Structures are given as structure tokens and as C-alpha cells.
Amino acid sequence: MTEKTLIIVKPDGVQRHYVGEIISRFEKKGFKLVAAKFMRIPEETARKHYAVHEGKPFFEGVVKYISSSPSMVMVFQADGVIDMARKMMGATFGFTAEPGTIRGDFSCSKGYNLIHGSDSPESADFEIPIYFTPEELADYELSDEKWLYGKND
Ligand code: IDP
Ligand code: MG
């Protein structure tokens, strides 16, 4: 069963010119891009997205951060994409994220960490419809899927 994940290049990622670099890493890995929207996330949408963190000390801060300036909101698809994308993103903050990961390579801030990625199938199922209607998710084949996703048996 092929899986989808919500990936957001957050406002600091857009401001710091990392949209292309981040998309490129996921493209080269072989994830299929199925939706993309460049938008300033409304505060109310950010509250809904981060509702799981409501009441935590950083909640108001993360809502303000995410809605402060445009983001690149995307959906990528592949078997196991959720865990693969989380590994490629690295730990939550750049100062602890491993080198080689997106956060580890490009961030050392505690507040700004460049990217969001769904952390479970349940989170992806909750988050994707916040940003995209079912019609906005492209259903198509890549011409090299055999080489990208095939097994050699
Ligand atoms: P994640 O993005 O790695 O899944 P979460 O713990 O789900 O991390 O937190 C959601 C977002 O809230 C983080 O990406 C970050 O932007 C922000 N955040 C989390 N913890 C803190 C904190 O202690 N200080 C400031 N911002 C935080
Ligand atoms: Mg999270």
C-alpha cells in the first residue's frame, strides 16, 4: 500500500532559499510528488495543524512562526515515505539533528527548523486534508517506477 506524507518547507526554509534543495533531496531519493501549494498558511490553519501541541509552552510560538510568511506545502508518495522523510529531515532541532539530514545540514536554531513532515500514517491522514482536497492529489505513474520501487526478483 503506497503511503503519503505532508511535507512543508516552513517560512525560514523559503526565506533562506532552501525550497529547491529540499524538494531536490526528496526527488532524488525517488519520492513521487503528488501535490504542491505555495501559500502563506493562515493562523487558524496552523492552529488546526498543530492542535496536538495545544497547551504546550511552544504552541503559540509555532503557530506564529508557521503563519508568519509563505511556506511550500507538498504531498509526497512512496511505500514507507513517512519514516524515510522523517529520517531525511533529522531530529526536531538543527543543533541536535545529525549531519546529512536536512535539519542537521542547514539549521542550528532552536525555534526555526526548516521543515515539517507527518510523523505517522494517522498524522498524515489528519494533516493532508487540511491543505489539499482529494482532487488536488495527483494520481499518476512515473515512467521509471520499475527502477525506483521494483525488486530484483
Ligand atoms: P517535529 O516537527 O520534529 O515533529 P514536534 O515535537 O512535533 O516536532 O513539534 C512541532 C514543531 O513545533 C517543531 O517542528 C518546531 O517547529 C516547534 N517546536 C517543538 N518544540 C519546540 C520548542 O521546545 N521550542 C520552540 N519550538 C518548538
Ligand atoms: Mg511532529
Side-chain angles (χ1 to χ4, degrees), residues 80-119:
V81 70
I82 293 173
D83 285 347
M84 286 190 281
R86 293 284 297 186
K87 282 192 191 132
M88 290 169 71
M89 288 161 53
T92 299
F93 298 109
F95 65 88
T96 46
E98 290 290 318
T101 65
I102 292 165
R103 288 163 167 171
D105 283 351
F106 305 128
S107 163
C108 45
S109 160
K110 175 147 194 201
Y112 302 126
N113 60 358
L114 298 171
I115 183 166
H116 167 81
S118 305
D119 65 5

Side-chain angles (χ1 to χ4, degrees), residues 27-101:
E27 267 196 310
K28 286 178 190 160
K29 174 75 174 166
F31 298 168
K32 188 191 291 189
L33 180 63
V34 297
K37 210 175 262 186
F38 184 70
M39 62 185 286
R40 183 165 179 157
I41 298 172
E43 189 187 312
E44 281 318 302
T45 306
R47 285 185 185 282
K48 192 170 171 197
H49 177 147
Y50 284 114
V52 64
H53 295 304
E54 217 169 332
K56 294 184 186 165
F58 63 86
F59 179 70
E60 291 301 327
V62 75
V63 167
K64 195 171 160 200
Y65 159 36
I66 287 296
S67 56
S68 63
S69 175
S71 293
M72 188 69 182
V73 185
M74 295 170 284
V75 177
F76 284 95
Q77 182 176 333
D79 283 339
V81 70
I82 293 173
D83 285 347
M84 286 190 281
R86 293 284 297 186
K87 282 192 191 132
M88 290 169 71
M89 288 161 53
T92 299
F93 298 109
F95 65 88
T96 46
E98 290 290 318
T101 65

